[in-house]
Amino acid sequence: VSDVPGDREALAVAIDLARHHDAHLAVGVTVALSTPPPVEYGPFPADIYAQVHATERERGARAAAWVRQELLRAGLPAEVRQTETQ
């Protein structure tokens, strides 16, 4: 899950497959940490990067919370893992 269109449908299919096969479901939530583009005078100050990354991590946490809620609703043995990429 990466907060893109189609995530709801993909999770629904994964839940159906896990239910059909009586399987444990592991769902990954990807948090893409962006790097603001350099500007004419050089890179941004470190606190700008920290603010951008904090916002992106919050979005990932919301996505992971949504997935956990959906998995609880489905009543399946499952886990949610959150990872960061750049």
Side-chain angles (χ1 to χ4, degrees), residues 29-73:
V29 175
T30 303
V31 177
L33 300 179
S34 60
T35 303
V39 290
E40 206 173 287
Y41 55 84
F44 286 97
D47 63 329
I48 298 295
Y49 291 101
Q51 290 172 6
V52 169
H53 292 171
T55 300
E56 292 163 340
R57 287 181 178 114
E58 288 172 14
R59 189 177 1 192
R62 284 192 305 273
W66 170 75
V67 171
R68 285 186 188 93
Q69 180 182 13
E70 294 298 310
L71 294 174
L72 281 173
R73 204 175 288 153

Side-chain angles (χ1 to χ4, degrees), residues 2-23:
S2 58
D3 197 25
V4 296
D7 282 353
R8 291 185 185 278
E9 293 82 9
L11 184 60
V13 169
I15 288 171
D16 286 344
L17 284 170
R19 192 174 279 137
H20 178 75
H21 294 283
D22 194 28

